[in-house]
């Protein structure tokens, strides 16, 4: 009969005859071996040293009544990476929205300046300058509106994706409120 890959948590002795102190992930519980328990001239086994932080600890434990999970959930690092990717896309969309708003504000401020200084020039004399400026203002307004609407549409999609990720993994919902 072969030993299981991970010791069970029932407290039965392991191969060494000592009760198992490992958790679900197979790492020690953080207690290093005392110097008295390690023979002189030998270093402590690496399994007795504290394990580095792993994101598997965030994954929910399997039910106690099942020996083998039929379909394991995706590892927590993959879900966290998905959330980071969606949040990076969200920051990009917010930057596009900010740019769109700035582009819309530019023609409005230029038009305000032209109206404020209109008493210093005759419109008929500078019409050949005002038509291209008006066309440029219209193009900038359309571009800014398009950028803003596109960013808002993408933000909604990203919020929906984040909501789905939160539903799939409860631990992620704790961090993203």
């Amino acid at each position: 009969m072969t030993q299981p890959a991970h010791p069970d948590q029932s407290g039965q002795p392991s191969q060494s005859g000592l009760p198992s102190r490992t958790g679900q992930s197979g790492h020690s519980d953080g207690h290093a071996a005392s110097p008295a328990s390690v023979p002189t001239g030998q270093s402590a086994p690496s399994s007795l040293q504290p394990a580095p932080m792993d994101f598997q600890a965030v994954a929910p434990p399997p039910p106690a009544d099942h020996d083998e999970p039929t379909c394991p959930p995706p590892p927590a690092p993959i879900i966290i990476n998905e959330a980071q990717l969606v949040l990076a896309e969200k920051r990009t969309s917010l930057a596009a929205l900010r740019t769109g708003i700035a582009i819309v504000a530019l023609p409005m401020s230029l038009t305000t300046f032209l109206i404020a200084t209109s008493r210093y020039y005759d419109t008929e004399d500078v019409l050949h300058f005002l038509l291209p400026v008006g066309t440029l203002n219209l193009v900038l307004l359309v571009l800014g509106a398009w950028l803003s609407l596109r960013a808002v549409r993408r933000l909604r999609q990203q919020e929906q994706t984040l909501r789905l990720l939160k539903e799939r993994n409860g631990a992620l919902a704790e961090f993203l409120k």
Side-chain angles (χ1 to χ4, degrees), residues 28-66:
S28 68
D29 60 350
H31 297 291
S34 66
S37 66
V38 178
T40 308
Q42 294 180 358
S43 62
S46 63
S47 64
L48 296 178
Q49 295 176 353
M53 175 71 173
D54 67 352
F55 291 102
Q56 293 293 340
V58 217
D65 58 340
H66 288 51

Side-chain angles (χ1 to χ4, degrees), residues 89-90 92-101 103 142-158:
E89 290 173 354
K90 189 175 177 181
T92 303
S93 295
L94 288 170
L97 179 63
R98 182 184 64 222
T99 304
I101 291 171
I103 289 175
V142 169
L143 177 66
W146 177 76
L147 275 174
S148 298
L149 291 175
R150 180 174 160 249
V152 168
R153 201 170 37 242
R154 285 188 174 193
L155 282 169
R156 287 181 183 165
Q157 290 173 350
Q158 290 151 0

Side-chain angles (χ1 to χ4, degrees), residues 37-162:
S37 66
V38 178
T40 308
Q42 294 180 358
S43 62
S46 63
S47 64
L48 296 178
Q49 295 176 353
M53 175 71 173
D54 67 352
F55 291 102
Q56 293 293 340
V58 217
D65 58 340
H66 288 51
D67 289 338
E68 288 183 30
T70 55
C71 181
I78 291 176
I79 293 175
I80 290 173
N81 287 344
E82 284 183 47
Q84 286 177 338
L85 178 66
V86 172
L87 290 172
E89 290 173 354
K90 189 175 177 181
R91 283 191 300 271
T92 303
S93 295
L94 288 170
L97 179 63
R98 182 184 64 222
T99 304
I101 291 171
I103 289 175
V104 167
L106 182 65
M108 293 189 328
S109 63
L110 183 59
T111 304
T112 303
F113 175 75
L114 290 175
I115 291 173
T117 59
S118 64
R119 64 180 169 172
Y120 298 114
Y121 61 87
D122 188 19
T123 307
E124 295 169 359
D125 292 338
V126 291
L127 191 58
H128 61 281
F129 291 123
L130 290 179
L131 287 178
V133 169
T135 305
L136 180 65
N137 282 350
L138 182 64
V139 168
L140 288 174
L141 279 171
V142 169
L143 177 66
W146 177 76
L147 275 174
S148 298
L149 291 175
R150 180 174 160 249
V152 168
R153 201 170 37 242
R154 285 188 174 193
L155 282 169
R156 287 181 183 165
Q157 290 173 350
Q158 290 151 0
E159 283 296 324
Q160 182 180 11
T161 304
L162 278 176

